[in-house]
Amino acid sequence: MVMENYFNKWIGQIRRGYLELCIFALIIRLEKTYGFEIISTAETLGLSIKEGTLYPILNRMTKEGHLSANWDIQNVQGHPRKFYSITPQGRELFGRMKAEFEDMNETFHKACTIEKILTQPSKEEEQTEKPS
Amino acid sequence: MKTQNLIERYMSQLDQYLAHIPATEKAEIILELNAHIQDSLQNGNKDVEEVLNNLGTPEEAARRYLEERGLSLSMPKLSGQKSETGKWLTIAFLGSFGLSIAFAIFIMTFFSPLVEVQEEEGKVRILGGLINVQEDMTSKNKGKKHKDKKIKAHLKFSGTDQGKEKHVEINVDGDKESPNIEIKVDGDQLKEDQIKLIENLKNLEGEIEGLSDLEKLEKLSELEGLKNLKELKSLKELKNLKIFEELRELKELKVEKESPTEEAQAE
């Protein structure tokens, strides 16, 4: 139970930043896309994005100028959709986020594979050990 | 029809929770979520309950939007009755708090000072005179307190006045605050009409103005024939002036510089 709580808390923390990064990447790759398409594309990749999470994030990213949003009424069947695309500002931000994330990944990989370096016992320790 | 009703109800609740967001933005949010629901129903093979469930409750959905903007969730207007009660509770609380502060200030002013010690009169006033305690003058504490304030000095000097030898004796005894000072000339208690000018003191008069009591005493002690005043000097807290004034009253007593004979005793 303790482990479960810890894991849930941790996943909540790490997922938040990770999700924003993935949403940026998807919008860049899909060029012009809408919420439902982002969710279903992510799902095919094995990434589950909750609707309740995605739309507020899109809303803020647009407000902050990283995305531009346009309602498309005529070219879409059925009902109007809100299409998102990346702005130059968003592209620059994503570039920095991506580099940072890859750097972190690399460091993490190193941390997981680092060999233990045996440190030589100091002279003082040798001297105290000898008489005993 | 049932589907549309569920969606309508969801959106109207969401609309209430998003009260702090500007109307146009709120409309866009609702429109976008509506589009998403339509897409999900058409392409996702899901029923409306499931789709709405994925969005979270209207409250949860609204909270996420608001949190992204650094806002907190506003309660929907449905709970108007609650806030009315809260308002009156706040008024009642603030009112009674204010009253108790006012009462406390009144009490503090009326009964102040809480404790006042009047050492000289041996009185203790409590709660601004509500209770007065009179110190027992014969109490052991009183005796102790004054024990270290006792002073004692004894000095003698002699000189000649108009050919006659005069012996002056000064005794200081008792309480430091109000010592008994006894001045004798030739064994007789000094009387004002017997007092004659001491030239040295007369000369000193101009010099000693503005000096501290101790400095006056020092000046005095420099006078020949008054050397024993040095004994007094060590008693720094003695009311020097008093002795000085007593000596000044020896106005007409002449002390011959040439032949001062002195005997001194000091305890």
Side-chain angles (χ1 to χ4, degrees):
Chain A
M1 193 61 198
V2 176
M3 192 183 85
E4 198 63 25
N5 285 343
Y6 187 93
F7 180 80
N8 288 339
K9 197 183 162 194
W10 173 81
I11 203 92
Q13 290 169 336
I14 201 160
R15 244 182 92 91
R16 207 195 137 79
Y18 175 70
L19 259 186
E20 288 186 28
L21 192 67
C22 289
I23 291 166
F24 263 130
L26 283 170
I27 292 169
I28 286 170
R29 297 303 296 172
L30 296 169
E31 290 177 22
K32 194 182 174 212
T33 183
Y34 55 101
F36 183 79
E37 195 179 38
I38 295 170
I39 290 170
S40 37
T41 311
E43 224 157 64
T44 62
L45 304 173
L47 173 67
S48 162
I49 307 177
K50 282 256 175 75
E51 295 87 335
T53 311
L54 175 73
Y55 288 104
I57 289 175
L58 290 175
N59 193 267
R60 177 173 54 83
M61 284 175 163
T62 309
K63 227 176 147 49
E64 289 174 359
H66 310 311
L67 301 178
S68 67
N70 290 298
W71 284 93
D72 201 330
I73 300 165
Q74 278 143 18
N75 304 326
V76 200
Q77 283 186 338
H79 51 84
R81 291 199 184 96
K82 198 179 186 180
F83 283 88
Y84 294 92
S85 50
I86 195 98
T87 63
Q89 180 195 317
R91 199 176 289 276
E92 194 194 329
L93 177 65
F94 175 71
R96 290 177 61 190
M97 284 164 72
K98 185 168 176 267
E100 185 65 35
F101 182 68
E102 280 167 352
D103 200 41
M104 281 159 68
N105 241 338
E106 203 178 311
T107 309
F108 173 69
H109 181 71
K110 281 183 194 161
C112 288
T113 54
I114 194 167
E115 296 290 333
K116 184 173 181 178
I117 301 158
L118 291 169
T119 49
Q120 295 293 323
S122 70
K123 282 175 187 174
E124 282 176 8
E125 278 171 350
E126 276 175 10
Q127 281 170 352
T128 50
E129 275 167 23
K130 270 175 189 173
S132 64
Chain B
M1 197 60 205
K2 189 199 166 196
T3 302
Q4 202 53 42
N5 281 346
L6 282 173
I7 296 168
E8 284 297 328
R9 204 177 65 189
Y10 185 95
M11 292 305 167
S12 84
Q13 284 178 14
L14 181 68
D15 182 71
Q16 284 190 336
Y17 283 112
L18 289 173
H20 287 317
I21 289 185
T24 49
E25 287 182 49
K26 200 157 66 176
E28 261 197 83
I29 288 168
I30 287 168
L31 218 56
E32 185 180 30
L33 289 183
N34 219 349
H36 172 84
I37 291 165
Q38 299 300 329
D39 278 331
S40 300
L41 291 174
Q42 284 165 21
N43 308 315
N45 303 318
K46 291 173 183 168
D47 61 22
V48 70
E49 275 100 348
E50 201 182 344
V51 172
L52 291 177
N53 206 36
N54 284 344
L55 282 172
T57 65
E59 191 181 345
E60 284 165 358
R63 182 180 285 127
R64 288 201 193 94
Y65 275 103
L66 291 163
E67 275 171 1
E68 292 289 341
R69 289 157 182 257
L71 298 170
S72 60
L73 192 74
S74 62
M75 294 310 286
K77 285 158 196 168
L78 293 169
S79 59
Q81 210 186 344
K82 254 187 189 174
S83 64
E84 192 72 5
T85 319
K87 191 176 84 181
W88 285 108
L89 276 174
T90 312
I91 289 169
F93 174 75
L94 288 177
S96 54
F97 183 70
L99 272 178
S100 51
I101 289 287
F103 184 68
I105 290 170
F106 167 74
I107 290 288
M108 281 161 76
T109 324
F110 193 77
F111 291 119
S112 69
L114 286 179
V115 180
E116 186 190 12
V117 182
Q118 297 175 333
E119 203 175 329
E120 285 178 19
E121 294 167 38
K123 262 189 194 172
V124 179
R125 289 173 83 226
I126 299 168
L127 295 176
L130 198 66
I131 304 166
N132 284 314
V133 181
Q134 186 75 39
E135 191 182 4
D136 185 1
M137 297 302 277
T138 59
S139 72
K140 285 171 188 174
N141 281 346
K142 180 95 183 167
K144 248 184 197 174
K145 205 192 282 175
H146 288 271
K147 201 174 183 181
D148 53 342
K149 284 184 173 179
K150 290 271 185 196
I151 53 161
K152 207 166 188 179
H154 181 79
L155 59 119
K156 279 181 178 178
F157 60 92
S158 54
T160 42
D161 180 38
Q162 292 168 352
K164 287 179 183 175
E165 203 172 42
K166 294 269 181 189
H167 296 278
V168 181
E169 206 179 326
I170 303 176
N171 285 306
V172 183
D173 195 4
D175 200 344
K176 193 174 73 185
E177 301 295 325
S178 51
N180 295 316
I181 299 169
E182 193 183 55
I183 301 174
K184 284 179 180 175
V185 179
D186 291 330
D188 294 324
Q189 195 81 23
L190 193 71
K191 285 176 192 170
E192 273 191 306
D193 58 348
Q194 291 180 323
I195 298 169
K196 292 182 179 177
L197 185 71
I198 299 174
E199 296 284 351
N200 289 341
L201 280 179
K202 218 181 179 183
N203 295 339
L204 265 181
E205 268 183 352
E207 289 180 43
I208 58 173
E209 261 174 55
L211 296 176
S212 74
D213 291 342
L214 192 68
E215 284 167 332
K216 281 174 187 170
L217 199 64
E218 256 174 306
K219 281 274 180 198
L220 262 178
S221 68
E222 282 164 15
L223 292 175
E224 281 189 276
L226 290 173
K227 276 181 184 164
N228 294 328
L229 276 173
K230 280 174 183 166
E231 309 289 343
L232 289 174
K233 206 174 93 179
S234 64
L235 302 164
K236 286 190 177 179
E237 289 186 79
L238 182 73
K239 296 233 164 173
N240 308 326
L241 192 63
K242 205 156 188 177
I243 290 167
F244 180 57
E245 280 169 352
E246 295 285 345
L247 284 169
R248 268 170 59 122
E249 282 173 15
L250 298 170
K251 277 174 185 171
E252 311 207 347
L253 189 69
K254 279 182 185 170
V255 178
E256 269 188 22
K257 280 183 190 175
E258 295 82 29
S259 58
T261 48
E262 33 176 298
E263 304 165 51
Q265 272 183 307
E267 289 175 19

